[in-house]
Amino acid sequence: MNLKKLSIFFGLVFVFSACKENRYATAEILGKRIPIDKTIKADIAIEKFITPYKKHLNKTLDSSLVYNPKTIDKTQGKLNTAIGNLMADIVIQQAGPVFQNRSGNRIDMVLLNHGGIRAGLDKGQLSTRDAYALMPFENEIVVAELSGKKIQEMLRYLEKAKTAHPVSGIQIEMDNNYKVIKATINKKPIDINKNYFVATSDYLQQGGDNMSFFIDPVNLYQTNYKLRNAIIDYFKTTDTIKSHIDQRFIKKP
Amino acid sequence: MKRRNFIQQTSAATAFVGLGGLSSLSIQPDYKKHITILHTNDVHSHIEAFSNNHARNPNMGGVARRATLIEQIRKENPNTLLLDAGDIFQGTPYFNFYGGELEFKLMSKMKYDASTLGNHDFDNGIDGLYAQLEHADFEFIISNYDFSNTVMDGHTKPYKIFHKNGMKIGVFGVGIELDGLVTKKLYKETEYLNPVEIATDMVDKLKNKENCDLVICLSHLGYDYNHGKISDRKLAKQTKDIDLIIGGHTHTFLDKPTVETNKSGNKVLINQVGCYGLYLGRIDFYLDNEKDVESGNLKIEV
């Protein structure tokens, strides 16, 4: 017993002194990346572990929520598109009641960005997966209280952008040089002395897509409502999607 | 001589099962110590492989394949560390549905040793990150976030020393400035500290006080920017005694590690493997008795 202890002691002394004396230094380094491709066989235990998560996910993602009578995407239309109009209208319909409950005010208009329409919607039954494709990001709907002056800045932005940024609640008419000749909110001309409640995404409100007019609003209201969840909730409570290119944002020929 | 034989045989065996990218084993150098570092970054909740008809990454990635590859390499060299440089979360519905539970559980099953934190790991708020910690059997190493006034307090480490084959490997982590990238209500009272200053302190501790044989920095700063923002390349140049920076954030696909020169004129490796688990980074360090290694003659094969 004692002998064993002693040998452990000497063993430790040896290891300790060996460590102390033998410092190591890097002599050579090999570095590379290895592609994870089909030549590597999947680990069966890991695959099995994923399966129940995957099944539940797919079941939820793929259950049909709403019927879409026609294929729509963001390339159809000039300054307004059926899919963009749908998204902007969904924001008013879904976030409007939340905002009204919290602030006592009504959303006057919506502005989103054309680049934020991440996929089209095919004709047929739509599912949660389609909503994820349309809006993969986690952006939340916010409402910015903007002065009439900032609304004018927004119009100058749209003149420069010449893009079908989705809008709702505002009516914009441009001449053939993209100069705004008429703009109304709630059917009334923009009042420079009035404030407007503009719903958008937190991404755009923070200056995304160079929408600087959003950055410093009179007031900013959070809805804690994700844009994608608003779309999913709309899909769930709607029977058939109605989306059209209309007259809300147009340019004279 | 015997060892070389063994390595060659292993190499032949792995080639037989069809694993790509390991062929350089046959010319593996013969040194006293061999430490392998495997790493990923910005996996962004990519659990499944991309489909066959995916436009950019057809039939690439997938956790189950990565697990096979990691096991193969561990068999070949048990002295392996597996690390991640952050942004584990966000990118597929797996995250939206399960909040990161599956990502952490799978990384635990693959026996990740440590990860640092990326900005997207705050996407469900600091509370959402905290809620998933119970599923992670690996360390979160971050040196420049002060979590004192948050729920994460005490749940991360500023550094950790791993012991492999008698070697001490010091790992620390630096995260990106969250302000402007993540909404304040998500990261709450997390305080960002200067990564260069913190890295300098960490290296001093790991190299000079703890006598680590290798010092590795897990970084989510981003590879390089053409403006003033601190990046991995800048960090490499402004510090010393870091052997390897494993980067993330910018989804930079380096086909081989970048070799940078540090403040004291020595070489630092920076590696980043893009994103989504499409690649696994592999760095093999061969160490020898200090007296047998000619200083200034470090061989780097990338």
Side-chain angles (χ1 to χ4, degrees):
Chain A
M1 202 59 177
N2 267 342
L3 194 69
K4 203 175 174 186
K5 270 188 184 165
L6 197 69
S7 66
I8 289 172
F9 173 74
F10 276 116
L12 282 175
V13 166
F14 173 74
V15 168
F16 185 66
S17 55
C19 274
K20 243 185 145 182
E21 278 169 21
N22 268 343
R23 289 285 305 256
Y24 288 87
T26 307
E28 189 163 344
I29 308 171
L30 301 181
K32 65 179 166 197
R33 65 174 189 185
I34 306 167
I36 312 281
D37 57 24
K38 62 181 178 190
T39 64
I40 303 170
K41 237 182 112 207
D43 183 297
I44 291 162
I46 294 280
E47 267 194 336
K48 270 194 181 149
F49 185 79
I50 296 168
T51 302
Y53 290 87
K54 185 174 168 177
K55 275 192 176 156
H56 169 74
L57 186 92
N58 287 346
K59 205 176 133 203
T60 318
L61 280 178
D62 293 329
S63 62
S64 70
L65 302 177
V66 64
Y67 181 71
N68 183 27
K70 61 177 184 204
T71 296
I72 50 175
D73 71 55
K74 67 176 178 180
T75 64
Q76 302 159 345
K78 290 191 177 85
L79 288 178
N80 76 90
T81 65
I83 194 166
N85 294 345
L86 176 69
M87 278 177 86
D89 292 347
I90 287 174
V91 170
I92 289 212
Q93 183 168 331
Q94 296 300 129
V98 179
F99 176 65
Q100 196 156 7
N101 273 340
R102 289 194 179 182
S103 73
N105 295 305
R106 297 171 72 100
I107 295 173
D108 291 303
M109 65 162 287
V110 178
L111 174 67
L112 301 173
N113 66 327
H114 187 251
I117 308 169
R118 306 299 290 189
L121 293 173
D122 287 344
K123 180 182 169 170
Q125 292 295 332
L126 299 183
S127 64
T128 306
R129 196 184 289 279
D130 296 300
Y132 270 90
L134 179 60
M135 182 58 212
F137 308 125
E138 299 304 302
N139 301 115
E140 285 184 1
I141 299 167
V142 295
V143 180
E145 186 177 350
L146 297 186
S147 64
K149 222 179 137 210
K150 292 278 182 186
I151 301 288
Q152 301 285 4
E153 270 183 48
M154 177 194 294
L155 293 174
R156 300 293 87 78
Y157 171 92
L158 292 172
E159 286 175 342
K160 271 193 209 159
K162 304 178 177 63
T163 304
H165 289 312
V167 294
S168 185
I170 190 170
Q171 168 83 42
I172 306 165
E173 212 177 305
M174 290 178 169
D175 66 17
N176 67 355
N177 290 317
Y178 293 94
K179 289 283 161 256
V180 174
I181 44 178
K182 196 181 164 198
T184 58
I185 294 175
N186 299 325
K187 299 201 167 70
K188 289 178 200 144
I190 315 289
D191 183 346
I192 204 99
N193 298 312
K194 194 179 167 307
N195 290 345
Y196 295 89
F197 295 100
V198 185
T200 187
S201 73
D202 51 1
Y203 165 74
L204 295 173
Q205 190 278 318
Q206 287 155 22
D209 234 346
N210 297 313
M211 294 193 182
S212 55
F213 48 86
F214 270 135
I215 289 175
D216 195 19
V218 179
N219 275 302
L220 182 65
Y221 301 87
Q222 310 288 336
T223 64
N224 307 110
Y225 198 3
K226 284 181 184 171
L227 189 48
R228 181 180 53 242
N229 287 343
I231 295 167
I232 292 170
D233 290 344
Y234 175 83
F235 282 5
K236 279 182 179 166
T237 52
T238 306
D239 182 65
T240 302
I241 283 182
K242 293 178 195 73
S243 66
H244 307 284
I245 297 171
D246 56 25
Q247 300 295 309
R248 66 181 75 189
F249 184 10
I250 51 166
K251 180 175 81 86
K252 291 229 159 156
Chain B
M1 203 56 200
K2 259 187 183 166
R3 193 170 160 269
R4 270 186 200 280
N5 264 337
F6 169 73
I7 286 165
Q8 269 165 2
Q9 274 168 18
T10 317
S11 167
T14 40
F16 182 70
V17 295
L19 269 178
L22 296 173
S23 52
S24 70
L25 276 174
S26 51
I27 49 148
Q28 206 161 38
D30 201 4
Y31 297 110
K32 290 264 174 351
K33 305 280 181 182
H34 176 198
I35 305 289
T36 300
I37 309 295
L38 301 179
H39 63 93
T40 48
N41 60 277
D42 300 273
V43 178
H44 283 296
S45 305
H46 281 265
I47 309 287
E48 296 173 41
F50 283 91
S51 65
N52 260 327
N53 51 15
H54 189 266
R56 244 188 290 177
N57 316 305
N59 221 332
M60 290 279 289
V63 170
R65 287 173 183 166
R66 197 193 326 153
T68 302
L69 180 60
I70 290 163
E71 252 340 280
Q72 287 287 348
I73 295 170
R74 278 211 186 97
K75 270 185 197 148
E76 170 207 313
N77 183 13
N79 300 308
T80 292
L81 270 187
L82 175 59
L83 304 168
D84 187 89
D87 276 8
I88 296 165
F89 287 175
Q90 189 69 267
T92 72
Y94 279 100
F95 176 67
N96 310 97
F97 273 59
Y98 307 114
E101 174 190 326
L102 186 58
E103 290 84 329
F104 281 0
K105 280 184 170 171
L106 290 170
M107 286 173 76
S108 304
K109 282 185 174 294
M110 287 184 279
K111 299 188 189 71
Y112 269 78
D113 292 284
S115 173
T116 194
L117 292 170
N119 46 303
H120 280 291
D121 298 317
F122 293 86
D123 277 10
N124 275 348
I126 193 161
D127 300 299
L129 172 62
Y130 173 75
Q132 300 303 332
L133 289 182
E134 57 172 318
H135 304 301
D137 294 335
F138 52 91
E139 301 285 353
F140 288 95
I141 301 178
I142 180 104
S143 325
N144 70 326
Y145 287 170
D146 181 352
F147 284 127
S148 302
N149 296 318
T150 74
V151 288
M152 286 296 286
D153 187 32
H155 296 283
T156 62
K157 287 202 161 88
Y159 68 90
K160 182 169 166 140
I161 298 170
F162 296 92
H163 297 263
K164 295 274 174 189
N165 195 17
M167 297 288 92
K168 287 174 83 174
I169 305 151
V171 180
F172 71 99
V174 284
I176 195 164
E177 182 162 22
L178 297 170
D179 185 29
L181 211 54
V182 181
T183 5
K184 166 92 173 155
K185 71 174 182 199
L186 295 179
Y187 67 82
K188 293 190 171 168
E189 297 305 312
T190 306
E191 237 187 286
Y192 166 84
L193 308 172
N194 183 313
V196 178
E197 284 170 20
I198 296 290
T200 306
D201 293 349
M202 285 294 125
V203 169
D204 183 51
K205 184 160 195 79
L206 293 169
K207 198 77 195 179
N208 303 330
K209 300 198 174 66
E210 298 283 355
N211 290 319
C212 285
D213 299 284
L214 291 173
V215 174
I216 296 173
C217 171
L218 282 176
S219 160
H220 202 78
L221 296 177
Y223 178 69
D224 200 12
Y225 303 102
N226 47 21
H227 47 89
K229 199 176 169 80
I230 183 70
S231 64
D232 294 339
R233 295 192 72 175
K234 287 198 188 84
L235 183 74
K237 286 182 230 174
Q238 291 173 25
T239 54
K240 57 179 186 176
D241 290 331
I242 298 175
D243 294 285
L244 169 65
I245 298 173
I246 294 170
H249 185 64
T250 42
H251 296 195
T252 307
F253 286 91
L254 295 175
D255 52 8
K256 57 185 187 181
T258 302
V259 183
E260 212 43 92
T261 304
N262 72 14
K263 223 170 134 183
S264 49
N266 294 320
K267 300 269 186 278
V268 198
L269 256 67
I270 306 169
N271 204 22
Q272 191 181 146
V273 288
C275 52
Y276 309 154
L278 302 174
Y279 294 89
L280 181 70
R282 176 178 180 165
I283 313 285
D284 288 286
F285 285 93
Y286 297 92
L287 296 94
D288 224 331
N289 293 334
E290 204 167 34
K291 58 182 167 48
D292 297 334
V293 179
E294 209 182 313
S295 69
N297 194 26
L298 173 65
K299 275 189 268 179
I300 300 177
E301 209 177 296
V302 292

